[in-house]
Amino acid sequence: MGKDVIIACDFASKADTLAFLDKFENKSLYLKIGMELFYAEGPDIVREIKARGHKIFLDLKLHDIPNTVKKAMNVLSRLDVDMCNLHAAGTCAMMEAALEGLTRPDGTRPLLIAVTQLTSTSQERMTEDLLIDQPIDKVVMHYAQNAKKSGLDGIVCSPLEAGKVHDTCGKDFITVTPGVRFADGDKGDQVRVMTPAEAKKIGSDYIVVGRPITAAADPVAAYDRCVAEFCD
Ligand code: C5P
């Protein structure tokens, strides 16, 4: 499994995103595009970034009836993204339909990973708002197993959970982990964080890093530091 640093491009516009990418000159990057940028700029932002030679994790977290998700995934597959995601809460039938939609006529497809319970959902809110009467760790691991059973490639999780996910679902099941901070850096609004070196040790396959790179005085140096700690 290829270890890689994915930069979260949490910018509001194409102009801001391209100005950021220009700093990296000829480097080939792996970039996460989320709802804000995609909804602001549309699929052209994906085409333009792909044309610059970068890889894209399109973080749109699909969740709908299986047929709708299948058709939407088919569109994303034609956009030539490298990784996309959905909510495991949409059921195994939805995840299987998503994979079908994503698979191109030649059999290739982007990686598909699942969101289990969002890290913004606490035990209390899950129990009271969603009426899920189980410990949250058990729910996360059950959703991970559902994703694996449905044929998905992995899940998004905290780096703190990556070891357990690999123990439960196998070492080839991909863990994509946000919540990464440098040892001497600002945590911002993230609570449970790990350094890139710790994330590597615990077995994360991809780390998603936003502000430690995008808000750094020297984003290229911050990215290189992540790569040196995580990939080398
Ligand atoms: O700036 P920062 O490194 O905190 O960015 C992390 C990125 O990962 C953001 O795009 C955030 O929305 C995303 N993310 C997260 N925690 C999750 C899922 C996604 O921080 N559980």
Side-chain angles (χ1 to χ4, degrees):
M1 209 54 63
K3 293 236 179 247
D4 223 332
V5 174
I6 300 178
I7 305 176
C9 285
D10 292 323
F11 299 110
S13 71
K14 176 171 149 178
D16 289 349
T17 309
L18 297 185
F20 170 75
L21 294 180
D22 283 344
K23 297 182 204 292
F24 290 83
E25 296 182 340
N26 296 322
K27 270 194 200 333
S28 261
L29 305 170
Y30 211 136
L31 306 168
K32 180 172 89 72
I33 295 181
M35 293 185 212
E36 182 186 12
L37 186 57
F38 190 78
Y39 293 150
E41 300 291 352
D44 276 348
I45 186 74
V46 173
R47 294 189 188 99
E48 185 148 354
I49 291 176
K50 286 292 294 187
R52 288 178 169 223
H54 303 303
K55 287 187 167 182
I56 293 184
F57 165 23
L58 192 56
D59 180 18
L60 298 182
K61 300 186 180 72
L62 275 67
H63 188 173
D64 207 318
I65 61 170
N67 186 55
T68 301
V69 170
K70 179 178 168 178
K71 288 179 174 176
M73 285 294 182
N74 190 254
V75 174
L76 300 187
S77 172
R78 278 184 268 131
L79 255 185
D80 200 23
V81 299
D82 298 280
M83 185 189 291
C84 53
N85 62 359
L86 46 63
H87 275 281
T91 74
C92 293
M94 190 201 79
M95 291 193 267
E96 286 162 14
L99 270 183
E100 261 183 62
L102 210 52
T103 305
R104 304 182 184 105
D106 66 0
T108 63
R109 63 168 175 80
L111 292 173
L112 181 60
I113 59 170
V115 174
T116 57
Q117 282 293 340
L118 291 168
T119 47
S120 52
T121 305
S122 64
Q123 177 75 53
E124 188 186 20
R125 295 276 53 87
M126 197 185 69
T127 309
E128 291 183 15
D129 295 358
L130 308 181
L131 278 187
I132 299 175
D133 192 17
Q134 295 280 334
I136 197 160
D137 297 357
K138 193 172 163 194
V139 174
V140 166
M141 223 43 73
H142 182 66
Y143 284 17
Q145 285 173 301
N146 282 351
K148 163 108 181 162
K149 198 168 73 182
S150 304
L152 268 67
D153 302 295
I155 62 164
V156 184
C157 62
S158 154
L160 296 152
E161 293 161 350
K164 185 150 180 236
V165 172
H166 282 136
D167 290 346
T168 307
C169 298
K171 68 174 172 37
D172 292 338
F173 194 64
I174 295 169
T175 51
V176 178
T177 63
V180 174
R181 293 292 180 265
F182 292 122
D184 52 0
D186 181 7
K187 286 207 305 191
D189 54 359
Q190 296 281 14
V191 179
R192 301 188 308 143
V193 298
M194 266 195 188
T195 66
E198 287 166 341
K200 176 184 182 181
K201 206 183 283 174
I202 211 157
S204 293
D205 298 296
Y206 295 85
I207 50 172
V208 176
V209 188
R211 289 159 293 178
I213 296 174
T214 56
D218 183 345
V220 180
Y223 172 75
D224 288 343
R225 182 176 170 192
C226 276
V227 171
E229 278 194 34
F230 185 68
C231 306
D232 297 345

